[in-house]
Amino acid sequence: MQDRGAKQSDHSRDSRNSQDLLASLSNWVEAGALRAVDLAFTRFIAEEGGVTDADVLLAVALTSERNGHGHVCLDLHRALESPDRLLSRLRDDTDLSPQVREELREQLAALDLQDWVRRLANAHNVIAPMIDGLTGVDHVADPIAPEATGTAENPARREPAPAGHAGSPLVLAGSAERPLLYLRRYWQYEQRIRAGIQARLVTPVAIDVARLDGYLDALFGRSAGPQTRQATGKQAASENPEQPNCQRIACERAASRRFFIITGGPGTGKTTTVVRLLALLQRLAMPNDEGDDAPVFTPLRIELAAPTGKAAARLTESIAGQLHGLPGGAEAWGPVIPSQVKTLHRLLGTIPNSRHFRHHAANPLPADVVVVDEASMVDVELMAHLLDALRPDARLILLGDKDQLSSVEAGAVLGDLCQPAPQGPSSSPRLPCTLETGSALGQAIVILWPSYRFSQAGGIGALASLVNQGGVVQNALKLFKAKQDPALGIIDAQVISDPEDTAFSRLMAEAYGAKDSFLHQLRNQAPPADVAQAAFDQWAADILQAQKRFQLLTPLRQGVWGVEGLNQRIIALLRQRGWLGEAGEDSRAMAPRQWFPGRPVMVTRNDYSLNLMNGDIGITLSVPAPVKGGQAAGTTSMLRVAFPTAEGGVRWVLPSRLQAVETVFAMTVHKAQGSEFEHTALILPDRPNPVLTRELLYTAITRSKKRFTLLYSQEAVLAEALSARVERASGLQGSW
Ligand SMILES: Nc1ncnc2c1ncn2[C@@H]1O[C@H](COP(=O)(O)OP(=O)(O)OP(=O)(O)O)[C@@H](O)[C@H]1O
């Protein structure tokens, strides 16, 4: 007997067929709503998998589309509830878009969740169903399949694969109430992450608790309660002696755990805390007895990593500074706490032209402790590889700001794991920096506060906090209008009609014309051609340092409000003022018209042969170059791009060798993650856009060290950004 859902499905199936759907999807690609790859994948599923049910194919297309937007899976319930949140690439200013939106709404409105899930679960050729208790489903795949990749010694690496569905390109998982459709590879990444973390959560490290308090006292001072000032002598503007010491609590909890997350906003002491934690772990690893027969101390092998070269360089600098603050100083701790931070790709050992790494379950990293900074930028794929590459007994410590934008790639692992965490300090009067979930994962997370860089009393700290908590636009604008105190970080806002507005030109002139701007140094401090190379290295180092003084950020890539339009606009403005050299001065550079002295560029793809990482910023400079050959020998000038090295020096690269770079007078907020600038300006477009969210505003504001400027045209756009949240479907949220 057919149930009600099945009858409905017959009805909807009758009303159109898979060919109609594929034709619609083709139009959606034309309208920019889907990628060509989404359509190709759906066609493949229809043709190779023999799927004729249009509603199943629609789910497949949307799963692929969501994946392209950083979602690990398609949340079927959310899709039916809010169809307008799908197809985020669809631009509202194109003629086709109302029609595409309407078509999608109609198609989804005709669906019943249970019936849709049942039909997906029965599409055996292409989908492995992993949800128990679905009605009308004749077969549920076994989540622990014999072909699992785990080993007897390390069951955490077991990779579930469904019996009978082993090769299916999609997986239906989640729960009957919240069904999730995955591309198989992403489901597997999540499974590996979950298993890797779970195995660590249930196997604590045995420590000598009797020694723990004494070591914590040595690192944080005697009192277990209030925040300490011992390490730096600084006081947080909002410091209150009654506040619990979150940093100490983090170290205490992390000491016996194999998996731990230290999260917090800018300047809340994540690096300070992790350096103390590493010192604590080494102290606990030292034998207690120091007599002649005492066992030899074998220090823990520690590896430090970050997702980008930029973040790695910043942490390297910060760790080196923090080692001095430890009791005993860098001399005592330098030999057992490394300050050199690697990129995650380097740590895992990239294999050229492959998604795989040299380190994996069968060849794990020789490390006892791995610390990953800026973990909010690590996507599911990389996190799965990292967990695979850890020895079963190795500890993993993640640092990051859970409220920041996540990686552009699929998955927001840190945010998902911290999902039960409150925005800002928790309301628990007892332990405001810990979660009250009681789950093993909840116990392994500490949220640091307050910020030692920004007070909540006003300026940057107050604005970031208001945005994070979804404040209303009037309150945000009030904060901008309040009397500014440079000690709290200046914030200002300006209304502009568009990037041609004189207020925009004025801000650019102020930023790039200032005596301490990089362009000023480039023009006025250049050494004479006949001096030693060291003078040019120093000049370049000063320019690279000065480049961190100001950065324009935008949420968009294309159009006049996006990086492309803004870069052109700024270059034209700076040329008008004679502050930038003309393009193509050096005809030997490849694509000479693109290259000119003063062009700041960001590397957009790791280049191991040049040792340049995604996110590295360099500046194009004109430097003397010898001319070889007989009578004409002498010097000429040549364009070179100067990049900072981890050791504080400068590396020169020929422009022609740089394969993937973009100009960064303006930079997307996404690309600015992991970087900080003294002054950042965020320019908002003149109409709403799905990328405008609280997380984006928060990330942009917290890139500023001393000043933040908001340039906007419509208050309504700012209001919408303040109310929208990044929503990423993932199976890592929820029960642990
Ligand atoms: N308990 C503390 N007492 C006083 N100052 C502190 C304390 N903890 C950290 N600081 C200081 O606050 C500043 C920021 O600390 P730290 O770099 O550790 O924070 P973070 O969270 O890692 O910052 P970022 O936003 O750069 O990631 C540093 O100057 C540090 O010395």
Side-chain angles (χ1 to χ4, degrees), residues 411-422:
V413 182
L414 189 78
D416 290 345
L417 295 175
C418 295
Q419 223 230 355

Side-chain angles (χ1 to χ4, degrees), residues 326-545:
L326 289 175
E331 222 165 83
W333 294 101
V336 289
I337 301 181
S339 51
Q340 200 58 47
V341 184
K342 297 175 183 159
T343 62
L344 269 172
H345 282 85
R346 189 162 287 278
L347 176 72
L348 296 176
T350 309
I351 301 172
N353 305 321
S354 154
R355 294 187 98 104
H356 299 281
F357 291 95
R358 273 194 300 109
H359 289 290
H360 46 74
N363 178 29
L365 283 165
D368 303 304
V369 182
V370 174
V371 176
V372 178
D373 193 22
E374 297 286 356
S376 57
M377 292 163 70
V378 182
D379 61 84
V380 272
E381 179 170 359
L382 195 54
M383 190 64 87
H385 283 300
L386 171 66
L387 280 152
D388 284 351
L390 294 180
R391 291 156 42 103
D393 59 350
R395 299 162 183 251
L396 177 62
I397 301 163
L398 303 181
L399 309 180
D401 184 347
K402 67 184 173 59
D403 297 316
Q404 264 196 43
L405 280 174
S406 42
S407 75
V408 186
E409 307 303 327
V413 182
L414 189 78
D416 290 345
L417 295 175
C418 295
Q419 223 230 355
Q423 301 277 313
S426 118
S427 52
S428 160
R430 209 166 41 87
L431 286 179
C433 36
T434 59
L435 305 183
E436 296 200 51
T437 64
S439 71
L441 177 62
Q443 299 290 312
I445 299 172
V446 163
I447 311 153
L448 298 184
W449 67 282
S451 171
Y452 292 86
R453 199 173 296 144
F454 300 123
S455 146
Q456 303 292 303
I460 293 175
L463 181 65
S465 161
L466 179 139
V467 166
N468 208 2
Q469 288 166 34
V472 293
V473 69
Q474 285 76 15
N475 290 348
L477 295 178
K478 248 189 240 158
L479 270 181
F480 283 113
K481 286 182 191 134
K483 195 165 173 297
Q484 300 291 322
D485 174 357
L488 303 179
I490 301 281
I491 52 170
D492 54 344
Q494 294 188 35
V495 179
I496 56 167
S497 52
D498 57 40
E500 301 279 326
D501 199 301
T502 47
F504 180 79
S505 316
R506 221 177 310 118
L507 179 69
M508 294 304 116
E510 187 194 313
Y512 290 109
K515 280 223 162 54
D516 59 3
S517 78
F518 85 88
L519 281 184
H520 192 275
Q521 305 218 356
L522 188 152
R523 293 193 318 276
N524 298 300
Q525 314 279 328
D530 55 354
V531 299
Q533 180 60 35
F536 283 92
D537 289 351
Q538 187 55 53
W539 174 58
D542 293 343
I543 289 172
L544 287 166
Q545 197 55 36

Side-chain angles (χ1 to χ4, degrees), residues 607-613 651 653-654 657-659:
D607 185 332
Y608 293 94
S609 63
L610 292 175
N611 196 18
L612 287 175
M613 298 298 141
R651 231 148 40 80
V653 181
L654 272 175
R657 295 202 64 198
L658 293 168
Q659 300 298 322

Side-chain angles (χ1 to χ4, degrees), residues 227-229 232 234-235 247 265-272 276 314 318 322 452-453 676:
Q227 303 275 3
T228 177
R229 264 169 272 152
T232 60
K234 281 192 208 162
Q235 182 171 11
Q247 300 184 352
T268 48
K270 297 178 290 295
T271 318
T272 310
R276 292 183 189 185
R314 214 160 69 83
S318 181
Q322 294 291 349
Y452 292 86
R453 199 173 296 144
E676 279 182 340

